[in-house]
Amino acid sequence: SSEVLEAIENVIQDVLKSLAQKKAPVLTLANRSDWRNIEFKDSVGLQMIPHCTTKQIRSDCPRSATKFALMLKILSMIYKMVQSNTYATKRDIYYSDTLLFGSQSVVDNIINDISCMLKIPRRSLHILSTTKGFVAGNLSYTEEDGTKVNCTCSATAVTVPSNVQGIKNLISQARFMLIVEKDATFQRLLDDDFCHKLSPCIMITGRGVPDLNTRLLVRKLWDSFQIPVFTLMDADPHGVEIMCIYKYGSVSMSFEAHHLTVPSIKWLGLLPSDLKRLNIRKDVLIPFTKQDQNKLASIQKRPYIACQPMWKKELDIMAASKLKAEIQVLTSLSSDYLSRVYLPNKLHFGGWL
């Protein structure tokens, strides 16, 4: 915490120095949404290059003056929280003055900018994200406040903890971890008792694009147990994008890649090549939209696809067919095909990429 306080004090000192010299204060931070500042490293995923281009938030420019003021406002809130050892969610910060901030996304963006500017992970700034992910299966742990959580015995899932950093005493006999893209598929597998039937495993869903806590938990479980991690996604560009976020990280959070990515993640399904192999009827597949085509083209150009020839093949199949499929498409074969046939066969015979 002293490191965080010192980092904030240094920023404020620079502001005061500029004012003393009758200069307009400026905040300088890395340009984190620019692909030119990102490098791809097999062992980490997408990460920021050491000497990247920066942008300035100026106090004397009408376009950025408001953002400059809001950054100082949130810095002062973080400073108080770190000093008093209290925590707040991003929503708490937004609701402390909705008129001032205008929208939740403004707050979220500024918090990421501050984290990047101070080079301090967001959790150390005492800001918690609201969690939307679920975890189930062979896992128990103790939360920071001493609450014991057992995911093994419940038929319902447990919400991913809001302070992943603080959990301890993790115990699991799981043989593998399965990341499920969607809540509906996750619930279906829970109902079919998938976590215990096949072999003990841990199931996680970020319910679409994963929030920070879900990504942190996947990383923490992988660090703790070193078990294989598989993904079960829709066979569409959006599903591939979500899987890439878990495996390689995202551009906007690349400055925190070391805590968030699991480069050993394997693509278990639904593979575009599975659709042909399983003779899935054409009429249950969905035609691409223009947006799907653009998304797929952008993914195909990314640096990490070049070192994944098997993934590239699957993306080519998808691009050629211009068709996409949700995991639910397997119910056209039989209602429990996913948990009874598809996943057991895939895991047993090594059908992942």
Side-chain angles (χ1 to χ4, degrees), residues 118-161:
L118 301 177
K119 295 186 174 52
I120 287 169
R122 192 164 79 194
R123 301 168 302 293
S124 306
L125 302 177
H126 285 230
I127 294 171
L128 305 170
S129 340
T130 2
T131 295
K132 61 177 183 135
F134 288 132
V135 58
N138 194 301
L139 173 69
S140 63
Y141 56 84
T142 309
E143 290 200 344
E144 198 177 28
D145 62 2
T147 310
K148 286 185 167 52
V149 178
N150 189 350
C151 310
T152 312
C153 54
S154 60
T156 54
V158 172
T159 309
V160 167

Side-chain angles (χ1 to χ4, degrees), residues 11 15 39 106 115 118 131 138 156 214 235:
V11 170
V15 168
E39 63 178 353
V106 167
S115 174
L118 301 177
T131 295
N138 194 301
T156 54
T214 304

Side-chain angles (χ1 to χ4, degrees), residues 218-266:
V218 169
R219 174 64 195 237
K220 184 156 189 133
L221 294 174
W222 181 68
D223 281 339
S224 304
F225 304 121
Q226 295 291 314
I227 49 178
V229 185
F230 301 110
T231 58
L232 180 63
M233 305 280 151
D234 287 342
D236 67 8
H238 190 63
V240 175
E241 169 113 284
I242 288 172
M243 172 170 63
C244 291
I245 290 173
Y246 282 108
K247 186 175 171 77
Y248 296 121
S250 56
V251 175
S252 63
M253 294 297 287
S254 56
F255 61 96
E256 265 203 66
H258 290 270
H259 313 285
L260 293 172
T261 58
V262 180
S264 66
I265 280 175
K266 301 277 183 262

